[in-house]
Amino acid sequence: MSQGKVLVLHGPNLNLLGIRQPEIYGRETLEDIDDALREQALGAGWEIDCRQSNHEGELIDAIHAARLDGTVAIIINPAAYTHTSVAILDALNAFDGRVIEVHLSNVHKREAFRHHSYVSLRADGVIAGLGSRGYGLALEAVMADA
């Protein structure tokens, strides 16, 4: 029996990690990040579901499903949807578990439009600028608070 179930959502363009702007996002691939998260979760007796989509509706559908499938926390890197998606915020507001927002880069050192996050209005915590380590720290926080 698992300690709990965590959903990890990666937003648009994160499927290009490792090749898209590595000076900002690093050289690790999304598969590398997901593999490390799976190892961390499974080693602690947790269930984890990692998903990426370039489509807002698919991310929202995953959040809706998490409300009903025993998921206790969502770790989300909404990527560009961070700054634009009231719909993702609304979906997260309907989720009763923990929400941790993660960004690979320090969005506050980047363009002004990246300084605002709709998702932060719901997030219980935000980790930015620590690269892929931010995901592992988010998972660690979720597991510690269970």
Side-chain angles (χ1 to χ4, degrees), residues 38-70:
R38 285 186 193 100
E39 184 176 328
Q40 181 182 354
L42 295 175
W46 284 69
E47 185 179 344
I48 193 163
D49 180 9
C50 301
R51 301 182 193 189
Q52 187 276 332
S53 181
N54 294 316
H55 305 283
E56 185 178 34
E58 286 184 18
L59 296 168
I60 292 166
D61 287 345
I63 295 165
H64 289 181
R67 294 180 62 237
L68 305 172
D69 70 2

Side-chain angles (χ1 to χ4, degrees), residues 33-109:
I33 292 169
D34 286 346
D35 286 348
L37 288 171
R38 285 186 193 100
E39 184 176 328
Q40 181 182 354
L42 295 175
W46 284 69
E47 185 179 344
I48 193 163
D49 180 9
C50 301
R51 301 182 193 189
Q52 187 276 332
S53 181
N54 294 316
H55 305 283
E56 185 178 34
E58 286 184 18
L59 296 168
I60 292 166
D61 287 345
I63 295 165
H64 289 181
R67 294 180 62 237
L68 305 172
D69 70 2
T71 297
V72 299
I74 295 173
I75 297 170
I76 183 169
N77 182 343
Y81 291 135
T82 302
H83 325 292
T84 63
S85 185
V86 174
I88 289 176
L89 170 63
D90 287 347
L92 290 169
N93 279 333
F95 177 72
D96 290 332
R98 300 260 336 238
V99 175
I100 308 292
E101 179 181 356
V102 174
H103 298 283
L104 295 164
S105 69
N106 181 350
V107 293
H108 301 289
K109 289 179 70 175

